[in-house]
Amino acid sequence: MDRIVLLKMSGEAVADIEGESIVSAERLDYFTAQIAIARKAEPDLKVAVMVGGGNIIRGKMLPGVNRTKADHMGMLATIINALALQDAMTRAGLDSRVMSGMEAPMVAESYIYGRAMRHLAKNRVIIFAGGLGSPFFTTDTAAALRATEIGAQVLLLAKFGTDGVYSKDPRRFADAVKFETIDYDSVMSQNLQVMDATAVALCRDNSMPIFVFDVSAENAVSEALLGRTDAGTLICFSTADGQVLGNDQPMRE
Ligand code: UDP
């Protein structure tokens, strides 16, 4: 059976930290190559990506700008990143479509569920942009919703320099403990900083497993796409015998 996965990449994942540019061609090429490797290993794998925009603008970090307007700016930033990622995919010969939650018809298709499923069926990588198209949300929440809608088996949360969910900030506390698996309510009640609470709650309400992993390790992204690694933390419901309960929406066009 076809397997769908949704990879959430923050804006930081494509940021050119040391250089002058807002996006790093190297990082975009890396993610693209990783997706290509996974698709080669599992030809029926359907991949969707949700890109953030934090490397350019985060609405709540623009003091003095009306929050709704600032969030619109943030959503536009995600479209910029999505176009850069699509360009990298085009160069690598990977067929992709940008689908935006915010209308931007000159550069991206609008998100329509049936059309998205058709792209996946045709083995196109979907790059989701524009978040949900509404302010006061984040691309984490948009990723949780789209993953649920398209029937993804798992939501992969790519992190830089953090290889999972810890009991406290591992950069500040030497006694921080890493979880191999953890349930949604524990993430929320312990206020663990993984993704925003709305996103975690949406995943919980729809039994969408979230795999948090560090992209720095070699082939980390392709291994995560292929479900071949446990070097991270799985946020999920599990049965007493350790079976992960997942989102079992069948793939439909
Ligand atoms: N945003 C929004 N609604 C959405 C998704 C995103 O208003 O549904 C805005 C918000 O300002 C957010 C910015 O877009 O801060 C960039 O997205 P995000 O912060 O999630 O990017 P990331 O942290 O993943 O790079």
Side-chain angles (χ1 to χ4, degrees), residues 61-100:
M61 290 179 184
L62 276 186
V65 180
N66 167 282
R67 174 65 192 273
T68 300
K69 292 256 185 258
D71 280 343
H72 289 156
M73 293 162 70
M75 286 185 274
L76 288 170
T78 71
I79 299 175
I80 292 174
N81 285 334
L83 295 177
L85 181 60
Q86 185 180 40
D87 182 59
M89 290 191 184
T90 304
R91 272 187 276 116
L94 209 57
D95 201 9
S96 66
R97 293 290 185 274
V98 178
M99 301 198 93
S100 180

Side-chain angles (χ1 to χ4, degrees), residues 123-135:
N123 278 330
R124 295 172 181 144
V125 177
I126 300 179
I127 304 169
F128 287 125
L132 293 172
S134 300

Side-chain angles (χ1 to χ4, degrees), residues 176-252:
V177 178
K178 183 181 159 186
F179 299 101
E180 269 185 35
T181 62
I182 186 168
D183 61 73
Y184 309 94
D185 284 332
S186 302
V187 171
M188 288 193 284
S189 63
Q190 293 174 44
N191 201 19
L192 303 175
Q193 304 296 312
V194 193
M195 63 200 309
D196 63 80
T198 314
V200 178
L202 199 57
C203 287
R204 178 196 60 192
D205 294 349
N206 296 289
S207 303
M208 171 57 62
I210 309 164
F211 184 64
V212 184
F213 71 103
D214 185 4
V215 295
S216 318
E218 205 186 340
N219 285 328
V221 177
S222 55
E223 293 291 293
L225 288 166
L226 291 165
R228 287 188 188 158
T229 173
D230 50 13
T233 298
L234 188 64
I235 305 170
C236 63
F237 287 127
S238 50
T239 57
D241 62 351
Q243 287 266 81
V244 175
L245 299 181
N247 167 35
D248 52 6
Q249 288 221 71
M251 183 169 173
R252 289 182 226 99

Side-chain angles (χ1 to χ4, degrees), residues 131-142:
L132 293 172
S134 300
F136 298 95
F137 286 103
T138 65
T139 52
D140 284 350
T141 303

